């Protein structure tokens, strides 16, 4: 998924009009305004995601602790150049695995059944997952276990099979599509460009006046 930097064209036209007598400075100014805005928008978008979802910024980007995901889950700003006046934010990746180190699952360690009766085992609390802050979902047919390599996560066994699979949740791309995240991202983009265009007009005119 790629989020294009769709900014208010009026702001870009404003800079173009002021600097029409200096086309090179105009393109540099446009590129700089777009890039500053993309970086600000990226920060705002990730903040909106971590505000709504129970996920840390490092985990959103994969992170060193989640090597199986880190190559697939990236939030990357696409910057502009004077030759190519376009910017955006690339968000790609698979659904995030529900490993204990992400802090989304309860319990965080496997519960031992040793010494417990079948009745006691059945009365044990089901594992739960909290992806959206303030919202907890129980997983009655899943269990917390330690996989090969020592990774603790939430697993389930397919009916009629001995194979177990780790459960997964939303991908970063799913998260940035959520309404509150989209609204925060669009607001940040609009405000950032307005501010950065004003800065570039002042800065570029100052250079031309010297």
């Amino acid at each position: 998924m790629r989020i294009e930097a769709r900014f208010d064209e009026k702001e870009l036209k404003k800079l173009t009009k002021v600097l029409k007598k200096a086309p090179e400075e105009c393109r540099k100014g446009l590129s700089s305004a777009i890039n500053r805005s993309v970086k600000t928008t990226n920060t705002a978008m990730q903040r909106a995601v971590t505000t709504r979802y129970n996920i840390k910024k490092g985990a959103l980007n994969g992170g060193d602790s989640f090597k199986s995901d880190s190559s697939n889950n990236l939030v990357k700003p696409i910057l502009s150049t004077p030759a190519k006046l376009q910017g955006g934010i690339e968000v790609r990746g698979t659904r995030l695995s529900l490993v204990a180190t992400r802090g989304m699952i309860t319990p965080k360690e496997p519960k031992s059944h040793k010494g417990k009766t079948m009745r006691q085992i059945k009365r044990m609390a089901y594992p739960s997952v909290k992806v959206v802050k303030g919202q907890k979902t129980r997983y009655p047919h899943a269990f917390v276990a330690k996989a090969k390599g020592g990774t603790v996560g939430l697993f389930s066994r397919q009916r009629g099979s001995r194979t177990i699979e780790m459960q997964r949740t939303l991908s970063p791309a799913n998260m940035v599509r959520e309404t509150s995240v989209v609204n925060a991202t669009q607001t940040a983009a609009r405000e950032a460009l307005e501010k950065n265009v004003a800065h570039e007009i002042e800065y570029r005119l100052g250079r031309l006046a010297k």
Side-chain angles (χ1 to χ4, degrees), residues 9 12 15 19 53 69 99 134 136 145 155 160 196 199 203 205:
E9 292 186 2
L12 296 180
L15 182 57
L19 298 175
Y53 295 99
D69 296 327
V99 293
K136 184 182 291 186
F155 294 84
N196 290 323
H199 169 79
Y203 174 69
L205 287 178

Side-chain angles (χ1 to χ4, degrees), residues 8 23 26 37 63 89 113 138 151 156 173 205:
D8 189 348
C26 178
S37 301
I89 303 170
H113 293 174
R138 291 184 177 182
T151 301
S156 67
L205 287 178

Side-chain angles (χ1 to χ4, degrees), residues 19 64 83 121 157 160 177 180 184 186 197 201 209:
L19 298 175
D64 293 338
I121 292 173
R157 181 179 285 109
R177 290 192 186 102
S180 67
Q186 291 177 342
V197 165
I201 289 176

Side-chain angles (χ1 to χ4, degrees), residues 75-144:
V75 178
K76 180 182 178 182
I78 307 298
L79 301 181
S80 165
T81 65
K84 188 176 181 180
L85 297 173
Q86 295 179 347
I89 303 170
E90 186 178 67
V91 184
R92 63 184 176 87
T94 59
R95 295 166 64 197
L96 298 174
S97 55
L98 287 171
V99 293
T101 46
R102 281 209 165 93
M104 293 181 179
I105 67 173
T106 302
K108 296 185 182 347
E109 293 288 342
K111 285 192 174 183
S112 175
H113 293 174
K114 188 175 181 179
K116 292 184 173 62
T117 65
M118 185 57 67
R119 184 176 181 180
Q120 289 174 320
I121 292 173
K122 288 183 177 180
R123 294 178 66 180
M124 292 172 67
Y126 294 131
S128 62
V129 175
K130 187 186 290 184
V131 178
V132 178
K133 290 183 177 179
Q135 297 181 23
K136 184 182 291 186
T137 303
R138 291 184 177 182
Y139 279 66
H141 302 295
F143 53 92
V144 176

Side-chain angles (χ1 to χ4, degrees), residues 4-20:
E4 296 296 337
R6 295 181 179 179
F7 303 115
D8 189 348
E9 292 186 2
K10 292 180 181 179
E11 295 298 329
L12 296 180
K13 287 180 180 178
K14 184 190 298 182
L15 182 57
T16 303
K17 183 178 180 180
V18 172
L19 298 175
K20 63 182 179 181

